[in-house]
Amino acid sequence: MRKKGLIIFLIIINLFFIMYIYFFEERYIIKFETTDKNQSAIEYNNWNSIVLDLKKSVVSIECSKKTLSDNETIEIKSIGTGVAIYSIGDKIYIVTNYHVIKGMDDIYIYDNNEQLVKVKKIIENKKDDIAILEISKKQNMNLKIGLLGNSDEVLLGENVGVLGNLLGNGLALSVGVISGWSDANFEKGYFIQTDAAIYEGCSGGALFNSAGEVIGIVKGKISDADNVSMGIVIPINDIISFVIQSLD
């Protein structure tokens, strides 16, 4: 009799527990809130909305020049990325790397709407690997000046993304964190390091934080003997300073 009563009691307890879980299951759901740009839990949809907006300011670059080789005319091409960061009157200025456009005769950009526009280079800085391109607003009405952050406030471990012209096939996203700062193998200044993937064509691309602010311009990557690569980025504050001085 006691055994039967115990079994009935356990069944009632189990039913009560099941009903509790069913009606109050939300209490068992662990929720994460992203309260600031340095929070580690960043939802995919947040990156998606940031990229959709940033793509209005980032362009794919294709360059070419013709040269003679063995009495034949050959075409040499270069690919890269650029970011619209400044505007004066009718002019829009796009920053990229010097090595992307070095020695090239024709430079074209593709915007987010796949509109092809020929641009002209106005300033080249070989030492710091920076170049400034110029177009008029009449040439491209869709290009938007990017939201710029403060690279002096970049934090170690901060979540970041890179938007670049992946292998010349258009803009693509890679994500990672700020992994450090380096001046190794460079003549001057410091560079931001990131473990976000850097591919061919991403030079001149945007390094941005989870607030959608551009905090640097991709220079390239370095690799060691074990094929461990690290992205190298020129801080946006250095870019801004150079652009203002050059356009004054």
Side-chain angles (χ1 to χ4, degrees):
M1 186 71 180
R2 289 182 179 179
K3 185 175 181 181
K4 184 177 181 181
L6 179 62
I7 292 173
I8 294 173
F9 175 75
L10 292 174
I11 291 174
I12 293 173
I13 291 296
N14 286 334
L15 288 173
F16 177 79
F17 182 75
I18 292 170
M19 292 176 65
Y20 183 84
I21 294 294
Y22 180 81
F23 289 106
F24 301 99
E25 62 181 351
E26 285 190 358
R27 297 186 181 185
Y28 292 85
I29 298 176
I30 300 174
K31 297 181 179 180
F32 297 91
E33 294 183 2
T34 304
T35 56
D36 58 56
K37 69 179 183 180
N38 300 317
Q39 194 81 13
S40 61
I42 298 180
E43 297 178 1
Y44 167 79
N45 286 337
N46 288 347
W47 283 119
N48 180 253
S49 61
I50 290 171
V51 171
L52 287 176
D53 191 55
L54 189 60
K55 285 175 71 175
K56 300 173 185 177
S57 306
V58 181
V59 297
S60 300
I61 297 177
E62 291 187 5
C63 312
S64 64
K65 72 173 181 179
K66 292 182 179 180
T67 186
L68 286 176
S69 177
D70 296 329
N71 296 321
E72 292 185 8
T73 299
I74 60 173
E75 187 176 45
I76 299 174
K77 294 185 177 181
S78 173
I79 57 174
T81 313
V83 183
I85 67 167
Y86 201 60
S87 177
I88 302 176
D90 183 49
K91 305 298 182 183
I92 297 176
Y93 298 98
I94 300 166
V95 65
T96 187
N97 294 131
Y98 167 78
H99 72 260
V100 172
I101 54 89
K102 176 184 176 182
M104 294 295 160
D105 298 324
D106 299 312
I107 305 171
Y108 294 89
I109 63 169
Y110 291 86
D111 67 7
N112 188 37
N113 295 319
E114 298 298 324
Q115 181 180 353
L116 178 66
V117 177
K118 187 173 183 179
V119 299
K120 65 177 182 178
K121 51 187 176 183
I122 59 169
I123 298 172
E124 299 176 77
N125 183 335
K126 178 180 179 180
K127 186 175 183 180
D128 296 318
D129 198 20
I130 301 172
I132 301 175
L133 311 177
E134 178 189 278
I135 66 169
S136 70
K137 293 179 180 179
K138 293 179 180 179
Q139 287 178 281
N140 191 309
M141 300 297 291
N142 302 311
L143 200 56
K144 174 184 174 183
I145 303 303
L147 178 65
L148 305 183
N150 184 352
S151 54
D152 290 340
E153 296 179 352
V154 168
L155 300 175
L156 187 67
E158 181 177 346
N159 291 287
V160 292
V162 169
L163 192 61
N165 179 19
L166 175 62
L167 303 176
N169 294 318
L171 299 180
L173 168 70
S174 63
V175 296
V177 298
I178 298 297
S179 52
W181 293 264
S182 173
D183 57 1
N185 302 320
F186 295 99
E187 295 181 1
K188 143 183 186 180
Y190 76 92
F191 295 87
I192 300 171
Q193 291 181 350
T194 179
D195 64 352
I198 306 295
Y199 301 99
E200 181 183 355
C202 289
S203 292
L207 177 75
F208 61 95
N209 58 29
S210 56
E213 300 168 333
V214 179
I215 54 176
I217 299 298
V218 175
K219 176 180 175 67
K221 66 180 180 180
I222 54 176
S223 302
D224 61 17
D226 296 321
N227 293 319
V228 176
S229 64
M230 190 65 61
I232 300 297
V233 181
I234 305 172
I236 197 63
N237 288 11
D238 293 350
I239 298 288
I240 293 172
S241 177
F242 173 75
V243 170
I244 292 175
Q245 292 176 11
S246 300
L247 297 178
D248 277 348

